[in-house]
Amino acid sequence: MYIPNGILSILESSTLAYCNRIAQAMNTQLGLDFEVVLFDAYSENEPLPEKDIIGVYRLEFELDSHFIKGSFLLGVATLNDPQLFRLRKASSFVLDQVKPEMKINLVTENGDPVLGNLIIMDGVAVLPVEGNTRPAKFFGIHFNSTATV
């Protein structure tokens, strides 16, 4: 499928929708309460929501004459989790959802499907826990798109 315009919006919307799907399953199956965020939208002056969060950070991609390939960090962060029980439980769940060859459906910012997928490639990275007040674990995900430009 050909993506005529709005590539950045579609990639961002698709990765956030994927996080939302993971959050809904995680909240239902594990009894957690994660909210989806775009980490890039927050700064030192704009605090993150006062709850456990999951989201996309540092989406980047390359275009050549036809293909899209890129990467992003998918992060989970907990609040008031001194022994990191919820973080470990959520991280384990997320890792099962980001294995190589899994697909991320392409969608518009309204959630309308776009024909094509992002395919998670080999080399998923599990990064160490960062932060004290709000510990976070990020997963480095590389993808190739089945849609062309």
Side-chain angles (χ1 to χ4, degrees):
M1 175 63 186
Y2 172 73
I3 301 176
N5 56 28
I7 295 167
L8 176 58
S9 178
I10 288 171
L11 294 178
E12 199 169 80
S13 297
S14 300
T15 54
L16 283 169
Y18 192 65
C19 284
N20 190 49
R21 196 178 97 209
I22 293 171
Q24 288 177 355
M26 190 166 56
N27 292 344
T28 301
Q29 294 176 29
L30 303 179
L32 299 173
D33 185 25
F34 276 77
E35 181 178 317
V36 178
V37 299
L38 176 61
F39 283 99
D40 294 323
Y42 293 89
S43 66
E44 291 180 22
N45 298 332
E46 173 134 10
L48 290 162
E50 292 291 316
K51 62 183 304 184
D52 296 347
I53 54 177
I54 180 172
V56 176
Y57 184 50
R58 304 186 97 182
L59 171 67
E60 61 182 344
F61 58 94
E62 297 176 6
L63 303 172
D64 62 22
S65 59
H66 297 289
F67 299 103
I68 304 167
K69 61 182 174 181
S71 65
F72 65 95
L73 296 173
L74 190 158
V76 291
T78 53
L79 189 64
N80 301 321
D81 186 17
Q83 299 299 316
L84 305 183
F85 291 121
R86 290 192 322 279
L87 184 64
R88 286 196 304 270
K89 187 187 271 192
S91 297
S92 292
F93 190 91
V94 168
L95 183 58
D96 288 340
Q97 308 304 309
V98 297
K99 293 178 181 170
E101 298 186 26
M102 294 185 107
K103 295 177 182 173
I104 299 171
N105 297 329
L106 291 175
V107 297
T108 66
E109 62 185 43
N110 297 326
D112 298 326
V114 175
L115 191 57
N117 299 292
L118 301 180
I119 307 296
I120 297 174
M121 303 308 292
D122 287 340
V124 172
V126 180
L127 304 173
V129 174
E130 297 179 18
N132 295 322
T133 308
R134 185 190 295 263
K137 180 169 274 299
F138 286 89
F139 301 85
I141 300 169
H142 298 277
F143 65 83
N144 287 344
S145 176
T146 62
T148 60
V149 291

